Amino acid sequence: NLGGLSETDKRFNSLVNLISKLSPDFVFFQEIRMRKDKKNILHSLKRKLGFLYFDFTETFDFSIDYGKGKFQKDSVKEGLGVLSKLKFKLQKFDLPIIRGQDRWPRIAVCYDFGKFSVCNLHLSKYENSRKLEIDKLPDADIYVGDFNMFPEEIKNYFKDYKISYDFKKYVSFPSNNMTLDYVVLKKLEFIKVESIDENISDHTTIFVIIEIG
């Protein structure tokens, strides 16, 4: 969860260095922000790190009122993103929100890599909305992102799945000593789970190694 990190932020180099050090096959992002007439940071990350594929899928625009009566003057688009060494097909799913309670829409993006699929998401901070959104999630082998849930809540929704927090306890939102971000597996297996705090954003990086089979 990048919190709108831009290339001009000094933490951008920390992000590049961390991804380079970890050398992952895939990186999934939330809260990528793109200002008017500017490219999002995935273009630079792809070039600097040598990933073959990437995608930015827009969730909402801060300059639009989606039903709560709050918006800003300048257009800034926020969305979910991926860097990948493997080619993929994707599908965007609009998730339900409670109009008047949620300020912004929510989406899930499902990436099909052939042998497995990954659903990237950033759910509502409101529990009633999250219940609606969980019911509408597409089927996937792996779910990743900012679930905005405490461990007890995510266990209720994914009872038959393997959850990264159960494999290894960690904190993903250090400022409040909370865990809100997870990787969830349907039938696959965790080999490693690590929470890495490099002060890149207000969330930590969740790094996992998974046995695909």
Side-chain angles (χ1 to χ4, degrees), residues 16 39 52 68 152 164 167:
V16 172
K39 293 182 178 180
L52 297 176
K68 199 170 182 178
E152 295 75 17
S164 53
F167 186 87

Side-chain angles (χ1 to χ4, degrees), residues 2-16 31-35 37-49 54 200:
L2 293 179
L5 183 75
S6 69
E7 286 185 66
T8 58
D9 195 307
K10 61 182 180 181
R11 296 171 295 167
F12 178 76
N13 289 331
S14 297
L15 175 63
V16 172
E31 291 188 359
I32 294 176
R33 292 178 191 154
M34 183 171 63
R35 284 159 178 78
D37 301 326
K38 291 187 178 181
K39 293 182 178 180
N40 64 69
I41 66 169
L42 292 177
H43 292 267
S44 294
L45 290 173
K46 177 180 178 291
R47 184 180 69 252
K48 288 177 178 290
L49 294 165
F54 78 103
I200 294 169

Side-chain angles (χ1 to χ4, degrees), residues 48-62:
K48 288 177 178 290
L49 294 165
F51 283 89
L52 297 176
Y53 308 99
F54 78 103
D55 176 77
F56 169 80
T57 303
E58 180 183 339
T59 305
F60 61 85
D61 189 325
F62 281 95

Side-chain angles (χ1 to χ4, degrees), residues 155 157-162 185-187:
K155 290 177 186 179
Y157 289 119
F158 293 93
K159 292 179 180 179
D160 298 325
Y161 291 69
K162 299 178 179 71
L185 307 181
K186 187 175 184 180
K187 294 181 180 179

Side-chain angles (χ1 to χ4, degrees), residues 19 24-29 41-47 49 51-55 81-86 88 111 113:
I19 296 174
D25 294 313
F26 318 96
V27 189
F28 300 96
F29 300 99
I41 66 169
L42 292 177
H43 292 267
S44 294
L45 290 173
K46 177 180 178 291
R47 184 180 69 252
L49 294 165
F51 283 89
L52 297 176
Y53 308 99
F54 78 103
D55 176 77
V82 62
L83 295 171
S84 175
K85 293 181 180 178
L86 297 181
F88 57 85
Y111 311 93
F113 294 98

Side-chain angles (χ1 to χ4, degrees), residues 35-116:
R35 284 159 178 78
K36 187 177 180 180
D37 301 326
K38 291 187 178 181
K39 293 182 178 180
N40 64 69
I41 66 169
L42 292 177
H43 292 267
S44 294
L45 290 173
K46 177 180 178 291
R47 184 180 69 252
K48 288 177 178 290
L49 294 165
F51 283 89
L52 297 176
Y53 308 99
F54 78 103
D55 176 77
F56 169 80
T57 303
E58 180 183 339
T59 305
F60 61 85
D61 189 325
F62 281 95
S63 66
I64 298 175
D65 177 13
Y66 294 97
K68 199 170 182 178
K70 293 183 179 181
F71 59 94
Q72 63 186 38
K73 182 178 179 181
D74 298 327
S75 175
V76 178
K77 296 178 180 180
E78 179 170 301
L80 306 179
V82 62
L83 295 171
S84 175
K85 293 181 180 178
L86 297 181
K87 192 174 183 179
F88 57 85
K89 297 178 181 178
L90 72 80
Q91 189 172 0
K92 174 184 174 181
F93 296 84
D94 294 316
L95 301 179
I97 60 172
I98 298 176
R99 187 167 294 275
Q101 173 178 276
D102 291 279
R103 179 176 174 184
W104 304 299
R106 299 288 177 172
I107 65 170
V109 182
C110 195
Y111 311 93
D112 183 356
F113 294 98
K115 291 185 177 181
F116 61 94

